[in-house]
Amino acid sequence: MKSGKTGSLNKFFAWSLLMAGLLVAGCKTSEPGGSEILDPAYGPGWSAVHADSRNSDYSTSQGPRKVELAWNRKFDGTINLGPTIGRQGQVYVTTNAGDCHLYALDPQTGKTVWCTDKVNKFAVASSALLDEQGRLFIADNEAMHAFDALGNLLWETKIKGFPFSAQFTQTGRLIFITHIGIIYVLDRTNGAFVLEPHLLSGELPSDPNFDPRACMRGTADCPCANTLAIDQQTGRFFFTYWAPGAAQAGVRAMLYSEKNGSSIKPLWEQTALPGGSASSPDISADGSRIYVNDNAGGLHAIDAATGNSLWKYNIGYEPGGSQSTSPEGLIMPAGGGTAPLMCIQDVGREAKQVWKNDSLNHLGLPMQTAGNLAFATVAGSQGKSYKDLVVVDTKTGEVLDRVQFPGKTLFTVGTTIGPEGNVYIPAFDGTLFAFGPR
């Protein structure tokens, strides 16, 4: 499936105003409060970049306690994020080189089921979002695209800027924020605008020259550098933002509602992220707290209703991505540099260290699963160029299994689990590893 596309965004604003009035109805039921919900949106399993709408990086499936390498595959270019997984276990991954930039892979072999060049190389900074019908949604720096499970393009809607993966609203709409601070809500069946694009700065930014490297630290040059988190019970959504002229980055909360027509309402803002945002925000299982990292070694807990700071914990280094948070409030920050593998517990008005293993140099993004298990990439015995996958008990830090990655490997950029129990770990150099239960 290859057909290159080009597009100009010069007429973006006039076009978006024309489309803003379109609203396509779906199969609806009433929810408390009088708003309407569409058919359930999220697919089963790991259907979003960070597993779910909360950005938890947690799976309710229990992972394997013992693992072995099932297969690995090297792609041209880089992989920037962990894959998402379809209903039948199909693995979806993005790359930035070659003709195809979105791949569907067989989970047993890693072989290509289909690939498409309908998205350009900038799609590498997103993971495909999957709905219950098996449709995929992913953007590049020109448009948001929808595909069916066979890789056929369903629709594409031009956008301004680049979003770092999308989510679904509580009403089943597609919601995302581009890196320059424009919020979009689209009908996922046809890409029509549910409401007019919302400009966080109050005015339309100039045409951006998107460079993924400028967004790695979430600084002023890339105001919205992460994936939003949305509470499916309330419609509140949370995102990091470095406002124009602000001294540092922060977190903002807004409310999406369809009670009296589709609307977005600002709730609060918290400017507490020195050096920029180091992670996407994630929502606690009960919806009461937001967790996010800054670029000065701070892990923050913020009250989801008010935006008040609840606590700040110094993890001692700048993490290289988003943390994993369990329903019990166990938080495992991403690795980076000389980071030790660690686990932190939210105990209310403060955080406490549950355990820390200084002998495990953490060099990836962790994942937790049911059964009190966590999967993380650490430096191997031959140095940082070589990596090991460790399976640990999240309550004690006990290493339950340790398996070497073949050859030299760069920093790993995600950890995902499939329905068959495979653990998928991509490295920045474009290699995807699949570890199966042993």
Side-chain angles (χ1 to χ4, degrees):
M1 299 175 186
K2 297 181 181 179
S3 64
K5 64 177 181 61
T6 58
S8 171
L9 301 180
N10 293 336
K11 297 181 180 179
F12 164 82
F13 194 58
W15 178 84
S16 65
L17 287 175
L18 177 65
M19 293 295 291
L22 295 179
L23 177 60
V24 179
C27 176
K28 298 180 179 180
T29 57
S30 295
E31 69 172 1
S35 60
E36 294 177 316
I37 57 174
L38 294 173
D39 48 310
Y42 285 89
W46 205 282
S47 59
V49 62
H50 295 298
D52 51 32
S53 70
R54 296 187 295 107
N55 286 341
S56 69
D57 283 286
Y58 176 89
S59 174
T60 56
S61 299
Q62 181 167 329
R65 295 173 66 89
K66 301 290 183 179
V67 294
E68 62 183 358
L69 183 68
W71 52 264
N72 61 282
R73 177 173 173 180
K74 178 70 171 67
F75 292 87
D76 294 333
T78 66
I79 299 176
N80 286 29
L81 292 168
T84 46
I85 313 296
R87 180 184 294 274
Q88 304 303 322
Q90 200 154 276
V91 180
Y92 299 101
V93 64
T94 55
T95 69
N96 66 350
D99 294 330
C100 290
H101 302 295
L102 171 62
Y103 285 83
L105 307 178
D106 184 305
Q108 302 303 322
T109 64
K111 292 182 178 180
T112 299
V113 177
W114 57 260
C115 73
T116 180
D117 63 354
K118 296 287 187 177
V119 293
N120 67 33
K121 65 181 181 179
F122 293 104
V124 70
S126 282
S127 292
L129 176 66
L130 311 176
D131 74 1
E132 191 182 47
Q133 289 74 41
R135 293 173 293 204
L136 293 78
F137 305 89
I138 190 165
D140 51 28
N141 65 332
E142 295 181 358
M144 175 60 72
H145 310 260
F147 299 89
D148 66 18
L150 300 177
N152 298 306
L153 181 67
L154 300 175
W155 54 257
E156 58 183 12
T157 298
K158 291 186 182 298
I159 61 176
K160 188 81 167 180
F162 180 81
F164 291 85
S165 302
Q167 296 280 21
F168 295 121
T169 69
Q170 78 280 15
T171 57
R173 312 297 189 182
L174 188 67
I175 185 170
F176 54 94
I177 307 177
T178 64
H179 76 292
I180 52 177
I182 304 178
I183 303 174
Y184 290 86
V185 183
L186 305 181
D187 188 298
R188 78 180 194 272
T189 63
N190 63 5
F193 281 57
V194 173
L195 46 74
E196 184 177 333
H198 183 93
L199 312 179
L200 292 174
S201 65
E203 59 184 26
L204 187 68
S206 59
D207 285 343
N209 292 318
F210 176 70
D211 180 352
R213 294 171 297 180
C215 293
M216 293 180 67
R217 290 173 54 83
T219 62
D221 292 331
C222 186
C224 286
N226 300 289
T227 304
L228 66 86
I230 183 165
D231 188 330
Q232 296 294 305
Q233 301 302 312
T234 65
R236 293 185 299 200
F237 63 97
F238 310 89
F239 56 94
T240 61
Y241 184 57
W242 191 311
Q248 58 188 25
V251 179
R252 289 195 179 187
M254 292 186 168
L255 175 68
Y256 177 74
S257 174
E258 295 184 11
K259 184 176 181 179
N260 297 306
S262 300
S263 65
I264 290 176
K265 175 186 176 182
L267 297 178
W268 52 258
E269 58 182 287
Q270 157 78 267
T271 56
L273 302 180
S277 57
S279 72
S280 297
D282 73 269
I283 307 172
S284 63
D286 64 3
S288 68
R289 293 168 181 236
I290 309 301
Y291 305 110
V292 66
N293 282 277
D294 61 35
N295 280 323
L299 170 64
H300 302 254
I302 300 170
D303 188 289
T306 65
N308 294 331
S309 177
L310 298 174
W311 50 255
K312 177 181 178 181
Y313 185 89
N314 182 21
I315 63 174
Y317 65 93
E318 179 185 328
S322 294
Q323 63 281 347
S324 170
T325 303
S326 77
E328 298 77 28
L330 293 175
I331 305 170
M332 295 187 67
T338 56
L341 189 65
M342 68 172 70
C343 183
I344 299 160
Q345 174 79 61
D346 182 346
V347 293
R349 298 301 302 180
E350 63 178 351
K352 69 175 184 179
Q353 179 180 294
V354 179
W355 53 264
K356 181 172 72 170
N357 191 329
D358 291 308
S359 68
L360 296 177
N361 185 4
H362 191 192
L363 296 171
L365 277 68
M367 171 190 66
Q368 296 182 67
T369 74
N372 301 308
L373 298 178
F375 300 80
T377 302
V378 299
S381 59
Q382 302 176 67
K384 290 185 179 180
S385 295
Y386 298 87
K387 309 292 188 300
D388 293 347
L389 169 63
V390 292
V391 184
V392 299
D393 184 312
T394 56
K395 289 188 173 182
T396 64
E398 178 189 359
V399 176
L400 304 175
D401 199 14
R402 184 168 184 165
V403 180
Q404 291 182 347
F405 288 77
K408 293 184 178 181
T409 303
L410 296 180
F411 189 92
T412 61
V413 293
T415 310
T416 301
I417 189 168
E420 73 293 306
N422 279 357
V423 175
Y424 300 99
I425 306 177
F428 185 69
D429 64 3
T431 305
L432 177 62
F433 301 90
F435 293 88
R438 173 163 55 89

